[in-house]
Amino acid sequence: MFKLNQNICTILGTALVSCILPLTFNAKPAAAVNLVTNGSFEEPNIPTGTFELFSSIPGWSVEFSSTSGG
């Protein structure tokens, strides 16, 4: 009886792999999406060796939240 169950499991496992494995080859990778705008701070252009203070940076937003320690 154990041999019969083992054979059934082998057959079912092989059938399952035979059905699912080809689907993985047909799957297309997701398109790359840039999740961060201006992530390298290209804008605004600031000359090397200088600095500037800004109220905003293109592509970025400021959010304030209060956190309680403890």
Side-chain angles (χ1 to χ4, degrees):
M1 178 149 178
F2 177 73
K3 186 68 171 171
L4 177 63
N5 288 339
Q6 186 178 7
N7 287 342
I8 291 173
C9 288
T10 302
I11 292 169
L12 290 176
T14 302
L16 184 64
V17 169
S18 298
C19 291
I20 292 177
L21 191 59
L23 297 177
T24 60
F25 293 119
N26 290 333
K28 295 179 181 175
V33 177
N34 191 0
L35 299 177
V36 179
T37 302
N38 195 20
S40 299
F41 299 100
E42 296 95 357
E43 297 175 26
N45 188 16
I46 303 171
T48 304
T50 65
F51 73 94
E52 293 184 33
L53 301 176
F54 297 96
S55 60
S56 66
I57 298 173
W60 290 78
S61 64
V62 177
E63 293 185 21
F64 295 97
S65 65
S66 63
T67 57
S68 59

